Amino acid sequence: MGVVNPDAAYQKCVNPDCAAEFDCGQTMFKCPKCGSLLDIWYDWDKIEVPGKLSDFGKRWVNRRNPLDFSGVWRFRELLNFCEDKYKVTIGEGQTILQQNDAVAKYVDMKPGCLYLQYEGLNPSGSFKDNGMAAAFSHAKMVGAESCVCASTGNTSASMALYAHSCRMKSTVFIGSGRIAFGKLSQAMDYDAQTIQIAGDFDDCMRQVQDVCARLGLYLLNSLNPFRLEGQKTIMYRIIEQLGWEVPDWIIVPGGNLGNSSAFGKAFSELKQLGLIKRIPRMAIINATGADTLTELVNNKKLAWNNGKVEQTIIDDYYADLTARDFSPHTCASAIEISRPVNLKKCLRTIDICNGVVRAVTDEEICDAKAIIGKYGLGCEPASAATIAGLKHLRSEGVIEANERVACVLTGHPLKDPNVTVNYHKEKQGKFSNPPIEAPNELNEIIKLID
Ligand code: F0G
């Protein structure tokens, strides 16, 4: 364990009819031959992977080494694409998997069965830091100087933080009026150039790809396959905190579908390496106002089909969105996306993990968020879609009350204080906890508390 062999990694096109391969020293975000997504592949024979997952736990005693402290790089043999001298870390991945029986009760699960993975505890307050640690390492390896992303908020906050720690220039594209204030404040504070485009996230995503192509900037959206390698580690840490056991279900919010794509890849590789015996099932949860994945998978029956995805189903669906001038809308602004760039990789995850997809309303998201705040450490709206989705899947009987479920709470509660304050102060939901107005008078105040 420990010998890094970066020559063991290469990039490969996900389209089986193309399957073009490229070395990791190249920077591109789509296959130059056919335009499909790219993956990172490994020649596992050339990598000294530990014989069992628990061997990774031994690194903790050596945590004065920043790579052993990092919740990403202490699993470095499983994302073995660059030498240690390029690896970037700012202490990401010190996250908690909390067993939470009170939230379990809300979703009708048995005590001891529900776990919440708090990715909001990362340095920039969201799961994105896992992916940025990996992608910035690649950026350093290829000598990139300027980076860019389109974002619903968290990607921009995370990229800006890593960029200034790497002394790189960063530019973020955000949709007009679509970004939660906590996230916008971070991008500005971490000194990113922030460009607010008159449009939504999907418009920003389109523009940023053209800008990258013209100006040769380093793209940090989840189209970047190195980012997804970092996001695999969220699954390793869930397994670690379950005593190196695999849960029955992983539940994750679905936006641009980078996380779900990375998680499926993580489990498929662990199984291939013999490090786990079975792959958990996965539920991916959309908001009803941004439910492309749900529509395509559940209603239009779009599937991975060994990589031969029926493109006409996607094209027809997107043409209809355009004809209707559709723009997605949900209070969970992080996942307000209607053309998810990792759609095909996510279909692969659904295949690998026998996955299911559901959409939940904003009301359900806000109520679930209040419950996570009341009984747990809190989260931002998109993260709470997991608990709202679990409630659906329990009432449908898809998930049993005694199965072991891990929900990925992707972002910190302070990311979007407006949604929280409106919910409580304006008494918008079942669990609102508004402030009580009191006169400036001692006896009256005491009466209220009694
Ligand atoms: N949860 C949060 C808090 C997010 O910020 C995002 C995505 C998601 C879930 C969805 O994850 O894209 O991997 O399916 N935020 C991106 C951004 C799009 O720009 O910050 P996904």
Side-chain angles (χ1 to χ4, degrees):
M1 182 172 176
V3 179
V4 173
N5 179 5
D7 296 336
Y10 55 99
Q11 307 187 63
K12 186 171 172 182
C13 174
V14 299
N15 171 6
D17 292 334
C18 173
E21 295 181 7
F22 309 92
D23 67 61
C24 288
Q26 299 188 59
T27 304
M28 58 213 157
F29 305 107
K30 282 191 174 170
C31 174
K33 297 203 167 138
C34 76
S36 297
L37 296 167
L38 293 167
D39 266 326
I40 309 304
W41 282 59
Y42 302 97
D43 285 330
W44 294 111
D45 296 344
K46 296 186 188 161
I47 301 171
E48 276 187 55
V49 179
K52 51 188 191 312
L53 276 175
S54 57
D55 288 346
F56 286 109
K58 294 177 189 153
R59 291 221 160 109
W60 189 236
V61 291
N62 204 25
R63 61 186 176 274
R64 284 186 56 222
N65 170 3
L67 294 186
D68 287 337
F69 181 73
S70 165
V72 169
W73 293 119
R74 64 197 156 84
F75 298 102
R76 51 193 170 270
E77 286 78 3
L78 300 173
L79 50 154
N80 188 77
F81 61 80
C82 71
E83 290 175 56
D84 283 358
K85 66 178 179 195
Y86 297 120
K87 289 186 176 121
V88 172
T89 176
I90 56 168
E92 59 287 326
Q94 309 309 316
T95 53
I96 291 172
L97 182 74
Q98 177 195 56
Q99 187 200 305
N100 194 315
D101 288 348
V103 181
K105 196 166 171 216
Y106 175 70
V107 291
D108 191 26
M109 301 275 312
K110 293 239 165 76
C113 291
L114 178 65
Y115 292 81
L116 306 177
Q117 171 70 9
Y118 288 102
E119 286 298 314
L121 298 177
N122 273 293
S124 82
S126 85
F127 72 91
K128 304 283 180 185
D129 296 352
N130 298 283
M132 291 298 167
F136 270 93
S137 303
H138 180 256
K140 214 163 139 184
M141 181 171 127
V142 299
E145 287 171 1
S146 292
C147 57
V148 65
C149 72
S151 183
T152 56
N154 282 323
T155 301
S156 59
S158 181
M159 183 187 81
L161 180 55
Y162 276 82
H164 86 64
S165 82
C166 296
R167 295 183 187 79
M168 279 173 71
K169 184 173 181 294
S170 68
T171 303
V172 306
F173 288 22
I174 57 171
S176 184
R178 304 296 186 116
I179 178 170
F181 268 14
K183 306 172 191 184
L184 178 60
S185 66
Q186 286 179 289
M188 296 187 299
D189 209 35
Y190 301 150
D191 200 32
Q193 179 184 36
T194 304
I195 299 181
Q196 195 164 337
I197 290 175
D200 59 22
F201 172 83
D202 299 301
D203 298 317
C204 292
M205 196 65 232
R206 227 180 355 251
Q207 295 289 2
V208 82
Q209 292 181 63
D210 291 345
V211 168
C212 270
R214 283 263 196 103
L215 302 181
L217 304 178
Y218 190 89
L219 181 69
L220 277 152
N221 278 100
S222 51
L223 270 178
N224 181 328
F226 295 96
R227 240 193 70 186
L228 299 192
E229 290 306 289
Q231 283 166 220
K232 293 190 308 190
T233 64
I234 301 170
M235 295 301 103
Y236 308 152
R237 296 200 301 274
I238 287 180
I239 295 173
E240 177 181 36
Q241 291 169 100
L242 289 174
W244 305 105
E245 284 177 12
V246 175
D248 297 309
W249 284 88
I250 299 286
I251 307 190
V252 61
N256 228 0
L257 306 178
N259 261 338
S260 43
S261 299
F263 299 169
K265 184 172 189 284
F267 288 119
S268 157
E269 289 171 349
L270 291 179
K271 182 86 192 321
Q272 187 196 341
L273 290 165
L275 292 170
I276 57 172
K277 291 201 179 63
R278 65 177 173 86
I279 290 177
R281 294 192 68 186
M282 193 163 308
I284 303 157
I285 313 297
N286 280 157
T288 48
D291 62 351
T292 294
L293 183 72
T294 314
E295 281 294 317
L296 289 177
V297 171
N298 293 356
N299 296 341
K300 314 248 180 252
K301 307 297 171 206
L302 189 70
W304 172 241
N305 194 24
N306 291 319
K308 300 197 187 289
V309 177
E310 260 191 83
Q311 185 65 39
T312 48
I313 298 182
I314 304 172
D315 291 344
D316 289 352
Y317 186 78
Y318 288 173
D320 180 55
L321 293 184
T322 306
R324 286 191 284 131
D325 205 12
F326 178 83
S327 184
H329 277 288
T330 165
C331 71
S333 57
I335 53 174
E336 197 178 59
I337 296 172
S338 62
R339 290 172 173 80
V341 297
N342 288 298
L343 174 63
K344 288 186 184 169
K345 283 188 181 175
C346 175
L347 296 173
R348 181 175 62 186
T349 286
I350 292 170
D351 188 61
I352 293 168
C353 298
N354 187 13
V356 297
V357 181
R358 292 291 183 275
V360 293
T361 64
D362 281 7
E363 189 183 344
E364 291 169 318
I365 288 173
C366 287
D367 285 342
K369 190 179 106 53
I371 290 293
I372 297 163
K374 183 170 174 165
Y375 297 117
L377 308 182
C379 64
E380 68 164 280
S383 313
T386 56
I387 290 297
L390 174 55
K391 208 167 160 54
H392 275 233
L393 292 164
R394 274 293 303 124
S395 64
E396 291 171 30
V398 175
I399 296 182
E400 302 290 335
N402 61 357
E403 289 190 279
R404 203 146 62 149
V405 177
C407 292
V408 183
L409 301 185
T410 43
H412 194 279
L414 293 177
K415 288 282 190 177
D416 194 346
N418 289 37
V419 168
T420 311
V421 170
N422 287 342
Y423 180 88
H424 289 295
K425 202 151 179 272
E426 309 304 328
K427 303 187 189 114
Q428 285 177 352
K430 286 203 267 298
F431 310 106
S432 295
N433 178 28
I436 304 161
E437 287 182 19
N440 189 12
E441 213 270 289
L442 181 64
N443 286 336
E444 289 299 315
I445 294 169
I446 285 180
K447 237 191 268 167
L448 281 173
I449 296 170
D450 257 355

